[in-house]
Amino acid sequence: MNDHLATRASILIMLALVLGCPTSADDDDLANDDDLANDDDLANDDDAADDDDAADDDDAADDDDAVYVDLDLGLTHACGLRVDGTVDCWIKSTVRGGKYDFGQDEPPELSGVVALKLGSMHSCAIVEDEEGSRSIRCWGLNNAGQDEELPPSNYLWGGCEMNLCCVLDGTEPGATAGTPRCWGGQPIEPGPTPPEVQLTSVHPGLQGVCGLRADDQTIECWEDESETSDSLVTDSPEGSFSYLDVSSAGACALTEDGAPVCWGLLPDAELLSGLPPLVSLQVSSGGACGLDAAGSPHCVGWTWPFGVPEPPGVFTKVVVSSSAACGLRDDGVIHCWGEPESVDGFPSAF
């Protein structure tokens, strides 16, 4: 394993644990100071603070009645897709109004959203119009082409990592596979043009991008163009898999019997060997959570105790960041748990 890869991953893990905010990127990379909120003005504007409190109360009341069908979790924020095709987002209280607040919790007025994915400090949604054509809409931080406009097509998600997002471009409406298309990038580079292969899923990471091939469910990976021997690509396992996820620190796939197989720079992936058979699995630089066939979450953490406590109920999806986890319960309610400062401001019933 290259020393520079291990060093880069270690730096990423550490910065993600410090308030959930990157410290290696300077202000010019993130945004111009003129575009950031002025903390002194916010602190002195009592009327604005009162208005914000009233708005937060109204949002909380609305959230109590919301029914969600999808969710995702970024480094600084979380978003949920309502059953009516609209989107709600939440930002960490420790980030709100500060230099890393890029409006992550202020999605544009969207309707017809069918899926969403979150990067570190931005979000993207697939929006379907009345004719069935799908487009991509993004909001939040835009310092690396995150809001690049893709032409309408038959898009399937995909995923985002840091500032890089990838989707699958299906051949026709209703397709369950497609060719990968990626945009955004720095500090992650999309690398060479994605292979023109049909994939059923695609997942960007810090060291490259991987997906599951539609023909045989084997793993297809391609590299960041700045690297020559990334372990994400060179160490990817052989065989067929039912599920795949890639994070900034490595990747895990599930065998047909639900056993995790992990590679890359994940620090303590062997902890996953004690879990029951899983039908889905999300990994991060801080830990991992998966669901069994009954919808029960199972979590392990290598930098904090993801599974303390594991939430009650039956879940249809669980997602993780470096220091938090969120799950979508079968009644459409979102629960988040983790380090207190990492979930303060997120939906939670715990």
Side-chain angles (χ1 to χ4, degrees):
M1 184 181 300
N2 293 341
D3 291 340
H4 74 283
L5 287 178
T7 300
R8 189 171 68 173
S10 298
I11 292 172
L12 179 68
I13 293 170
M14 290 303 296
L15 66 87
L17 294 174
V18 179
L19 195 58
C21 297
T23 57
S24 59
D26 57 33
D27 292 346
D28 289 336
D29 288 335
L30 291 172
N32 294 326
D33 289 340
D34 292 340
D35 295 331
L36 299 176
N38 186 304
D39 291 338
D40 291 337
D41 290 343
L42 290 173
N44 293 330
D45 194 345
D46 293 336
D47 292 338
D50 291 340
D51 291 342
D52 288 342
D53 290 342
D56 289 342
D57 290 341
D58 291 341
D59 290 343
D62 292 342
D63 290 344
D64 289 341
D65 299 325
V67 176
Y68 296 95
V69 295
D70 194 13
L71 83 159
D72 203 15
L73 183 60
L75 187 64
T76 59
H77 65 301
C79 291
L81 172 60
R82 291 188 183 228
V83 68
D84 63 359
T86 59
V87 175
D88 293 327
C89 294
W90 308 270
I91 194 170
K92 292 181 181 180
S93 297
T94 52
V95 174
R96 182 184 299 279
K99 65 189 297 183
Y100 297 111
D101 183 347
F102 300 100
Q104 296 96 309
D105 62 337
E106 300 173 359
E109 292 187 7
L110 300 174
S111 61
V113 177
V114 296
L116 54 84
K117 291 292 180 180
L118 275 58
S120 292
M121 289 179 278
H122 82 287
S123 307
C124 292
I126 293 181
V127 181
E128 185 173 278
D129 64 21
E130 295 180 354
E131 286 73 38
S133 180
R134 294 182 171 187
S135 58
I136 308 294
R137 291 288 304 278
C138 302
W139 63 95
L141 175 65
N142 179 34
N143 67 335
Q146 293 97 314
D147 68 347
E148 178 180 336
E149 186 172 339
L150 276 67
S153 190
N154 303 304
Y155 294 120
L156 312 167
W157 270 124
C160 297
E161 181 64 34
M162 298 287 285
N163 298 327
L164 175 64
C165 289
C166 297
V167 294
L168 296 176
D169 192 349
T171 56
E172 60 185 7
T176 58
T179 54
R181 301 286 181 263
C182 300
W183 72 97
Q186 299 173 347
I188 309 170
E189 298 294 340
T193 301
E196 291 295 321
V197 296
Q198 290 287 302
L199 303 176
T200 58
S201 69
V202 60
H203 308 272
L206 182 63
Q207 307 165 37
V209 184
C210 293
L212 288 178
R213 294 180 63 102
D215 53 0
D216 57 9
Q217 292 296 284
T218 58
I219 295 172
E220 178 88 19
C221 295
W222 60 99
E223 292 180 297
D224 177 330
E225 63 182 7
S226 66
E227 308 298 342
T228 57
S229 59
D230 284 324
S231 60
L232 184 71
V233 177
T234 59
D235 296 342
S236 59
E238 297 181 353
S240 297
F241 296 89
S242 63
Y243 198 90
L244 171 68
D245 191 46
V246 179
S247 76
S248 59
C252 291
L254 295 177
T255 64
E256 294 181 356
D257 59 2
V261 177
C262 301
W263 68 102
L265 303 177
L266 294 173
D268 292 301
E270 64 270 13
L271 294 173
L272 293 169
S273 61
L275 298 181
L278 302 173
V279 296
S280 67
L281 179 65
Q282 291 277 314
V283 295
S284 75
S285 59
C289 287
L291 292 177
D292 62 23
S296 297
H298 301 274
C299 303
V300 298
W302 23 86
T303 60
W304 69 279
F306 267 62
V308 183
E310 288 182 343
V314 177
F315 289 79
T316 60
K317 187 174 183 178
V318 63
V319 292
V320 296
S321 69
S322 60
S323 57
C326 291
L328 179 62
R329 211 170 60 190
D330 62 351
D331 60 359
V333 174
I334 292 175
H335 295 299
C336 298
W337 64 99
E339 293 181 333
E341 64 271 19
S342 295
V343 295
D344 187 13
F346 290 177
S348 177
F350 297 93

